[in-house]
Amino acid sequence: MRQTFNLLRTSGAALLLALTAGPARAAEMAAAPAAAASQTLLLWFLLGTLAVVILLIVLVVAMLVVRLRPQLRRLYELPTVRPTWSGRVLGLLVGDPALVRGEVRDEILDHDYDGIHEFDNDLPPWWKYSFYATIVFAIGYVSYYHLAQAGPLQGAEYAAEMQQAALFVSADADDPNQLTTYQPLTAPGDLSSGKSLFATNCAPCHGVNAEGKVGPNLTDEYWLHGGEVNHVYKTVKFGVQGKGMVAWKGKLSGKQILQVSSYVLSLQGSKPAGAKAPQGEKESPSQPTAKR
């Protein structure tokens, strides 16, 4: 009896703890977004305060420079101050841009070309400093990416971005990155339908016998976008942007696209008259033949 009572007391305590912990946990989860919002507001407040302080410092320095400009000018004219780096910085404050423009000596060299004289002036300091900065950047870039291999190169970054982009594309029949797994149609009826579709829609660019006109020759072993039936299907369905090959998705059904793709492959090796020169890479796709 006592064991039963102890078991009931333990279960009751656990249930009470769960009931009391549940609202507390819910309150904690509800307070989390409010705390995050408070931290964001505090961050923006601190950044705004810092910007105001920096602006005030700049204004105070500018006012001091304006009021003390005659004294700074006399200091800048001292022979021991003007050639130094700090003196050149001081020169910017009093209106002498030699620090960024350089010294223009206007010294003419002792030769000329067709009456054109050449001055012996140094490159502007800003140009030389920029050039030195590019050298430092190049050394750091090569050391980080090529020697230490601590970061991905452009090819690896591109591959990673393409993988991430593929996650946002639906893997269905309308996904251009999802290759189909069709087999070429070989029935005479399908090839006859494909021939009619080709004559109506494809012949103006590829020729009546697929010998190639504006578009490439489709009867040889060379392909620009793959000669396997699923690659041809993809090219017909989605087109090739910027190359004149329109997308037939929405104009032809999926079966019609497969029929015309199978018909195109049935023309392999037909060698029509006036065939266009090969384009693309050599490939030997499986050639469908009509069933007897």
Side-chain angles (χ1 to χ4, degrees):
M1 187 66 178
R2 178 174 295 181
Q3 293 179 352
T4 304
F5 176 76
N6 291 335
L7 180 61
L8 291 175
R9 185 177 60 180
T10 304
S11 302
L15 180 60
L16 180 61
L17 180 61
L19 292 175
T20 55
R25 180 61 177 171
E28 181 182 352
M29 294 178 63
S38 300
Q39 292 178 357
T40 302
L41 291 176
L42 179 60
L43 176 61
W44 283 110
F45 174 76
L46 293 177
L47 291 177
T49 304
L50 180 61
V52 172
V53 171
I54 293 175
L55 180 60
L56 291 176
I57 292 175
V58 171
L59 291 176
V60 170
V61 172
M63 292 176 60
L64 289 175
V65 169
V66 172
R67 294 181 65 88
L68 299 177
R69 191 167 186 176
Q71 292 83 353
L72 294 176
R73 185 70 186 182
R74 287 195 294 269
L75 178 63
Y76 175 66
E77 296 295 338
L78 295 176
T80 57
V81 174
R82 187 166 187 170
T84 63
W85 176 263
S86 58
R88 293 181 179 182
V89 175
L90 182 62
L92 286 177
L93 300 178
V94 298
D96 187 356
L99 179 64
V100 294
R101 189 188 62 186
E103 295 289 343
V104 181
R105 296 191 299 270
D106 291 341
E107 296 180 3
I108 301 178
L109 299 179
D110 58 353
H111 61 271
D112 65 89
Y113 299 94
D114 297 331
I116 300 175
H117 297 278
E118 181 180 355
F119 288 97
D120 185 19
N121 292 326
D122 292 333
L123 289 171
W126 64 267
W127 192 97
K128 292 189 288 187
Y129 300 148
S130 301
F131 179 68
Y132 299 150
T134 59
I135 295 176
V136 174
F137 175 81
I139 294 174
Y141 182 90
V142 172
S143 301
Y144 182 80
Y145 286 100
H146 293 274
L147 299 181
Q149 297 183 350
L153 297 178
Q154 291 182 348
E157 288 183 350
Y158 174 77
E161 291 177 357
M162 292 300 293
Q163 291 179 356
Q164 294 177 359
L167 298 177
F168 298 96
V169 180
S170 59
D172 55 16
D174 289 330
D175 180 8
N177 298 315
Q178 188 76 13
L179 198 63
T180 55
T181 57
Y182 296 130
Q183 294 295 325
L185 300 177
T186 57
D190 290 323
L191 294 179
S192 177
S193 298
K195 181 178 181 180
S196 300
L197 291 169
F198 184 90
T200 303
N201 303 296
C202 309
C205 290
H206 293 281
V208 176
N209 299 311
E211 69 275 12
K213 295 172 67 176
V214 178
N217 177 11
L218 301 178
T219 64
D220 56 27
E221 298 179 338
Y222 292 84
W223 297 87
L224 292 171
H225 308 288
E228 196 267 336
V229 64
N230 292 287
H231 289 93
V232 178
Y233 182 94
K234 175 182 176 181
T235 303
V236 175
K237 182 175 183 178
F238 298 104
V240 182
Q241 188 175 6
K243 298 295 183 179
M245 176 63 188
V246 299
W248 292 96
K249 179 182 69 172
K251 304 173 185 177
L252 300 177
S253 65
K255 183 176 181 179
Q256 289 176 322
I257 295 176
L258 185 57
Q259 287 173 338
V260 74
S261 301
S262 301
Y263 171 73
V264 167
L265 294 183
S266 71
L267 299 176
Q268 288 291 287
S270 58
K271 298 180 180 180
K276 194 175 181 180
Q279 295 174 269
E281 298 181 0
K282 188 175 182 180
E283 187 175 343
S284 298
S286 58
Q287 178 177 337
T289 56
K291 292 183 178 179
R292 301 294 181 184

